[in-house]
Amino acid sequence: HTNYRVAVSRSHQTAETHQHIEQLRATHPNIEVVEQGSSYKFCLLAEGSVDYYIRTTTTSEWDTAAGELILSEAGGSTLSYPAGEPLLYNKESLDNPWFIARR
């Protein structure tokens, strides 16, 4: 595909999500936003159908664990946003930080 495809939540978008996408437009003016449900976005990244996924609302470990593993096995990465740290699992709180995933 010729566009830089960015996956976002279908139902959980914030001003920070939109600001981040606008920052990406500086280097990728041909962004196409793809709205999909939960962990399916990780599968789209893993298969190469989208290039980037930004999440700036609450998710829990069970929302991301399987998808993150699939993406990782496909050569992608998931990092907290804006800190850029790996997501941690089996914490006392099962909430994830905001994150960016990419292939």
Side-chain angles (χ1 to χ4, degrees), residues 72-85:
S72 176
E73 290 295 314
S77 65
T78 305
L79 297 173
S80 67
Y81 175 77
E85 300 291 329

Side-chain angles (χ1 to χ4, degrees), residues 27-91:
T27 53
H28 304 283
N30 60 338
I31 284 180
E32 177 184 348
V33 175
V34 178
E35 295 180 344
Q36 287 293 333
S38 199
S39 58
Y40 185 61
K41 289 181 285 291
F42 283 103
C43 295
L44 292 174
L45 280 165
E47 74 178 11
S49 293
V50 299
D51 304 291
Y52 198 93
Y53 169 24
I54 172 82
R55 181 67 182 245
T56 58
T57 57
T58 304
T59 59
S60 296
E61 292 182 3
W62 58 79
D63 294 317
T64 59
E68 184 181 0
L69 177 61
I70 290 167
L71 176 60
S72 176
E73 290 295 314
S77 65
T78 305
L79 297 173
S80 67
Y81 175 77
E85 300 291 329
L87 297 188
L88 300 176
Y89 291 92
N90 298 317
K91 308 176 305 291

